[in-house]
Amino acid sequence: MTETLLPPAPYLFGHRKYWAQRFGTAPELPMTPVEMDALGWDSCDIILVTGDAYIDHPSFGMALIGRLLEAQGFRVGILSQPDWTSAADFKKLGRPNLFFGVTGGNMDSMVNRYTSDKKIRSNDAYTPDGAAGKRPDRAVNVYSHRCREAFKDVPIIIGGIEASLRRIAHYDYWSDTVRKSVLLDSKADLLVYGNAERQIVEIAHRLANGEHISELKGIRGTAHFVKQIPEGFAVKNSTDIDKPGALMPPANPYQEEPACDLKPADTGNGLLEAGEKAIRFDKLLLRNQRAKTVLRLPAYEAVKDDPILYAHASRVMHAETNPGNARPLIQQHGNRQVWLNPPPIPLTTKEMDGVFDLPYSRLPHKAYGGANVPAFEMIQHSVNIMRGCFGGCTFCSITEHEGRIIQSRSEDSIIREIEAIRDTSPKFTGHISDLGGPTANMYRLACKDEKIEAACRKPSCVYPGICPNLDTDHTPLIKLYRRARALPGIKKIFIASGLRYDLAVESPEYVKELVTHHVGGYLKIAPEHTEQGPLSLMMKPGMGTYDRFKEMFDKYSKEAGKEQYLIPYFIAAHPGTTDEDMLNLAIWLKRNGFRADQVQAFLPSPMATATAMYHSGKDTLHKVNHKAPDIYIPKSVKQRRLHKAFLRYHDPKNWPLLRDALKEMGRADLIGNGKHHLIPSFQPKGTMPVAGKTQVFKTKYTGLDTQKAGRGKSR
């Protein structure tokens, strides 16, 4: 492993500004030629295309990137939810001088448009008045094609969550196939992944300085095509560090070990190309040559037909996510090769402050008039205090996008934003809806030693237990809460982001502060399950930690004289969950008096570790091969409905399904009209499920029928 710290990165705001800075700051980035004329522009340097409504708020990716590029001196226009049926809308702002930046929006367009049951959603939270149908399926691909049609010679750069999670060959739940890297399907020139501030700023300035898009190679946090391995790079087969051979579960499944098979690698399965040099990795080479070594993943043509090779590629990709030691990856797609550079260097606190202190109006674009954009209504009075997550939950994609290293804003910057909300928001009533991020209580938490952090290859800092090298001091967060709620005009500050209760119990003072001042009667947390089997595949703590947190929560609520409740969230239909697991969860819910209002089944998002489990049927937290034990992955509609029904055991419409299932499982003793029964034996009039909506469970119980649901949140 490398023993160096993170490599240095230039200061985000240290570039010489582009000449167009003379036009000053736009009240809001223009969406029409009329607005461009009002700003004195004859053209845009950069045009950003997004599947979301344009909200000039830092919680919306295109606004943040747009304002950041504006701060670098560039003229930035926005094409929000353009009509994709022709190229006309993509010509509206004219030809951009530098590039088109394309994203599907704050959500993956397929997740945005379809439920976990593959049904079209009836609304879109990122569209005025929640209207559905304002973006296409696979929006990044469609928008990129229209940009190319509009201006054939203009570079196209894709990014955002949709591009990030599809940067290599990936399993696509909606087509039930492994698809190529989105770089090929979109026909874009360059892909940026992650939050992308560093990448996009460097790209913009280099293009402005006259470089051609084809010259922009080797930028961290980007993926591009290469014709051959760059000079000075050695190639190593991914199978040498994570053999999809004999099952050998290691103590740490992602910790690299020296290869024990030193025979020359073959050229099958899309690994070493003819003439490429295979190298031996002993400790000296690990230290000295790591930065100049590229890992060759099995080719797209191999992983699309072999779920085990797909699982292997997923494991290797996840192992190369630490900016301190990640190596580039390369993957063959037909006659093209996709080169994936290591992740970007995280932003410093000063840089984070600079990004969030930009002159956002914090309002929807005036073109929307009085229309309500649901996502904006939810976050307009919230403040993002950090990004990233080291939880490593297998169903979640936050780490693949934002990284494991926590990037935090300064206390002063956060306070300035709260004051700006108080002083400028027309609807502000004194309540801040959230101070958080991907995980509310990871603010300023980090590894105690930078050298250890730069060398670490573990997928989680908190599983199977909290790493002894992790600093869990919540003091900075407590100090922030106290300063924020003391501001004049601030009546209440809620914490609505997901909470890692396994971290919170390490700081009773934090739990007391939270419960006493920042809970509005209910606090949502996500144990995800009660049973150890599925929890181990999610990489989530056991219910013992939940019980400790609940004990603290109840104690401090009582001391504060408040009646407050925990609302736990659970997943249905996650890989590796048996029907018996779901039954035990339902019994726990009833015993504790919980009735879930809404549940959804696990949705395999591209690149998530649990998605590799779903596709391969194997526990991909350990080395996998064709002989490895299977974890049952029920994929039928009936099976998913059953698992959701267990979470909503109290809904009479689910009782016919559950009665049949309990009888098949040999648990008819749970059917009856007593308090100790899970469901009653009678069916209230008018509560039978609608024909065609729910099917009776007839499958013979095997003890393996299993699956669970994931919401894609880190808790």
Side-chain angles (χ1 to χ4, degrees):
M1 294 180 296
T2 180
E3 295 182 359
T4 61
L5 302 182
L6 291 175
Y11 178 51
L12 187 63
F13 295 92
H15 297 268
R16 182 179 179 181
K17 290 188 178 183
Y18 190 57
W19 68 265
Q21 66 168 313
R22 68 185 66 176
F23 290 100
T25 301
E28 51 191 354
L29 301 179
M31 294 207 302
T32 65
V34 173
E35 294 172 68
M36 289 171 58
D37 290 341
L39 294 169
W41 299 3
D42 61 352
S43 63
C44 291
D45 300 309
I46 298 159
I47 295 177
L48 303 179
V49 185
T50 177
D52 292 340
Y54 169 37
I55 312 293
D56 196 31
H57 187 289
S59 291
F60 291 79
M62 279 297 96
L64 186 150
I65 292 296
R67 287 298 189 183
L68 175 61
L69 290 169
E70 179 189 56
Q72 305 290 327
F74 299 104
R75 294 168 293 180
V76 183
I78 298 279
L79 288 178
S80 168
Q81 299 186 322
D83 178 359
W84 68 88
T85 58
S86 76
D89 260 13
F90 295 79
K91 298 177 180 178
K92 186 166 62 174
L93 299 182
R95 182 189 186 280
N97 301 321
L98 298 178
F99 64 86
F100 278 110
V102 176
T103 177
N106 266 25
M107 287 180 67
D108 179 278
S109 62
M110 298 300 287
V111 176
N112 179 282
R113 293 204 67 213
Y114 296 90
T115 69
S116 60
D117 294 328
K118 300 183 182 181
K119 296 179 180 178
I120 294 180
R121 298 185 191 274
S122 59
N123 54 39
D124 182 343
Y126 291 89
T127 300
D129 291 328
K134 295 296 184 180
R135 75 184 80 213
D137 288 357
R138 312 189 195 285
V140 167
N141 293 345
V142 177
Y143 290 159
S144 296
H145 296 165
R146 289 294 181 245
C147 288
R148 187 71 74 201
E149 184 180 344
F151 299 100
K152 186 175 181 180
D153 60 335
V154 173
I156 297 173
I157 299 168
I158 57 176
I161 188 73
E162 185 167 333
S164 284
L165 300 188
R166 289 171 165 77
R167 55 189 185 259
I168 61 172
H170 57 280
Y171 175 74
D172 181 78
Y173 170 64
W174 298 271
S175 62
D176 193 25
T177 62
V178 174
R179 292 177 65 96
K180 298 175 182 177
S181 165
V182 68
L183 195 58
L184 284 98
D185 284 343
S186 68
K187 297 180 171 60
D189 297 287
L190 195 61
L191 181 154
V192 296
Y193 68 88
N195 292 100
E197 289 95 347
R198 290 201 192 282
Q199 305 95 294
I200 206 68
V201 167
E202 179 178 347
I203 290 165
H205 281 292
R206 289 177 64 176
L207 290 175
N209 288 334
E211 292 189 57
H212 191 269
I213 188 69
S214 63
E215 299 177 83
L216 305 186
K217 309 293 187 186
I219 300 173
R220 278 178 167 267
T222 66
H224 51 76
F225 298 113
V226 294
K227 294 182 179 179
Q228 59 187 20
I229 301 299
E231 186 177 351
F233 272 86
V235 184
K236 184 172 179 63
N237 274 348
S238 62
T239 52
D240 284 350
I241 64 169
D242 192 89
K243 291 179 181 295
L247 186 66
M248 298 180 294
N252 176 356
Y254 288 87
Q255 193 69 44
E256 185 179 67
E257 298 172 346
C260 53
D261 182 1
L262 301 178
K263 293 182 294 184
D266 61 37
T267 58
N269 291 331
L271 296 173
L272 282 189
E273 299 293 302
E276 288 182 354
K277 181 183 178 184
I279 65 170
R280 174 174 173 169
F281 255 50
D282 56 25
K283 292 183 179 179
L284 178 64
L285 287 172
L286 280 171
R287 286 197 298 268
N288 297 337
Q289 289 189 269
R290 186 180 197 95
K292 283 294 184 179
T293 301
V294 59
L295 297 182
R296 181 172 286 283
L297 299 175
Y300 161 72
E301 288 76 15
V303 300
K304 77 181 179 68
D305 295 326
D306 189 335
I308 299 302
L309 278 180
Y310 177 86
H312 156 75
S314 173
R315 283 173 47 77
V316 172
M317 187 280 299
H318 281 89
E320 302 297 327
T321 56
N322 183 343
N325 59 40
R327 289 161 288 189
L329 306 174
I330 191 169
Q331 187 175 50
Q332 192 84 22
H333 288 66
N335 60 358
R336 308 199 75 178
Q337 299 190 86
V338 175
W339 180 282
L340 186 68
N341 290 297
I345 304 303
L347 298 187
T348 64
T349 295
K350 182 180 179 181
E351 290 171 324
M352 283 280 286
D353 288 355
V355 167
F356 282 88
D357 288 348
L358 293 170
Y360 308 97
S361 70
R362 301 186 63 88
L363 295 170
H365 190 278
K366 61 178 178 289
Y368 305 128
N372 169 51
V373 182
F376 170 69
E377 294 299 321
M378 182 175 68
I379 59 88
Q380 64 174 317
H381 299 142
S382 69
V383 179
N384 195 321
I385 66 175
M386 49 74 68
R387 66 168 59 147
C389 181
F390 49 71
C393 301
T394 60
F395 53 80
C396 179
S397 299
I398 291 174
T399 299
E400 287 89 336
H401 185 59
E402 296 194 357
R404 286 182 296 164
I405 297 175
I406 303 302
Q407 302 160 72
S408 300
R409 297 169 62 185
S410 72
E411 187 179 292
D412 287 345
S413 175
I414 296 165
I415 294 299
R416 285 195 297 271
E417 185 171 353
I418 295 173
E419 291 174 330
I421 293 172
R422 177 196 64 192
D423 298 339
T424 63
S425 176
K427 296 183 179 180
F428 187 62
T429 60
H431 295 82
I432 297 294
S433 59
D434 188 27
L435 284 185
T439 303
N441 60 321
M442 286 187 183
Y443 179 71
R444 296 219 180 158
L445 300 190
C447 189
K448 296 175 182 177
D449 189 309
E450 290 183 352
K451 290 184 178 180
I452 294 175
E453 179 179 70
C456 183
R457 300 178 63 77
K458 293 176 63 178
S460 173
C461 299
V462 291
Y463 184 86
I466 296 175
C467 177
N469 295 311
L470 180 66
D471 181 2
T472 60
D473 183 13
H474 284 57
T475 301
L477 189 55
I478 295 170
K479 185 171 178 286
L480 171 63
Y481 287 176
R482 290 173 178 172
R483 182 178 172 188
R485 68 172 183 265
L487 290 172
I490 303 300
K491 299 177 182 177
K492 182 80 173 181
I493 295 176
F494 298 98
I495 305 303
S497 296
L499 185 79
R500 282 298 301 213
Y501 55 85
D502 50 347
L503 287 172
V505 296
E506 298 295 311
S507 176
E509 184 183 6
Y510 170 74
V511 178
K512 183 175 183 178
E513 191 79 15
L514 174 75
V515 170
T516 304
H517 301 286
H518 301 286
V519 175
Y522 299 91
L523 179 67
K524 297 177 182 179
I525 60 173
E528 309 298 3
H529 214 283
T530 57
E531 306 306 293
Q532 193 55 44
L535 287 172
S536 65
L537 292 174
M538 299 174 190
M539 295 208 301
K540 291 287 294 185
M543 290 303 287
T545 308
Y546 169 84
D547 293 337
R548 286 175 59 200
F549 181 79
K550 185 179 186 304
E551 183 180 348
M552 288 184 181
F553 181 89
D554 292 342
K555 173 187 175 184
Y556 294 130
S557 292
K558 184 176 181 180
E559 289 180 3
K562 297 181 176 182
E563 186 174 349
Q564 300 183 141
Y565 303 93
L566 284 179
I567 305 297
Y569 274 68
F570 297 96
I571 289 181
H574 189 279
T577 310
T578 65
D579 292 345
E580 189 173 66
D581 289 331
M582 293 306 300
L583 171 59
N584 289 337
L585 173 53
I587 292 171
W588 185 93
L589 288 170
K590 180 160 187 180
R591 185 170 63 242
N592 288 276
F594 290 119
R595 293 189 172 193
D597 290 331
Q598 293 181 337
V599 299
Q600 66 182 82
F602 168 70
L603 196 162
S605 60
M607 280 179 56
T609 297
T611 300
M613 296 180 187
Y614 179 91
H615 180 54
S616 67
K618 307 289 185 180
D619 174 6
T620 61
L621 294 178
H622 298 86
K623 292 187 178 183
V624 294
N625 67 26
H626 296 85
K627 296 181 180 179
D630 290 336
I631 55 173
Y632 187 73
I633 314 290
K635 299 180 180 180
S636 71
V637 172
K638 288 191 291 186
Q639 199 73 41
R640 294 169 73 84
R641 283 176 177 163
L642 174 64
H643 283 221
K644 292 169 70 174
F646 272 122
L647 286 179
R648 285 184 55 79
Y649 67 91
H650 55 280
D651 186 343
K653 291 182 179 180
N654 289 327
W655 292 347
L657 179 67
L658 291 174
R659 285 192 199 101
D660 285 348
L662 289 172
K663 291 174 184 176
E664 291 289 342
M665 295 169 69
R667 294 306 309 270
D669 59 298
L670 293 173
I671 304 171
N673 304 322
K675 291 184 177 180
H676 61 286
H677 293 114
L678 182 64
I679 57 173
S681 55
F682 67 92
Q683 190 69 31
K685 190 175 181 179
T687 62
M688 287 295 290
V690 178
K693 295 294 184 180
T694 303
Q695 301 179 34
V696 177
F697 182 82
K698 294 294 186 183
T699 305
K700 182 175 177 60
Y701 179 68
T702 65
L704 291 175
D705 299 330
T706 144
Q707 187 161 345
K708 291 190 89 167
R711 295 184 314 286
K713 295 182 180 179
S714 174
R715 301 291 183 266

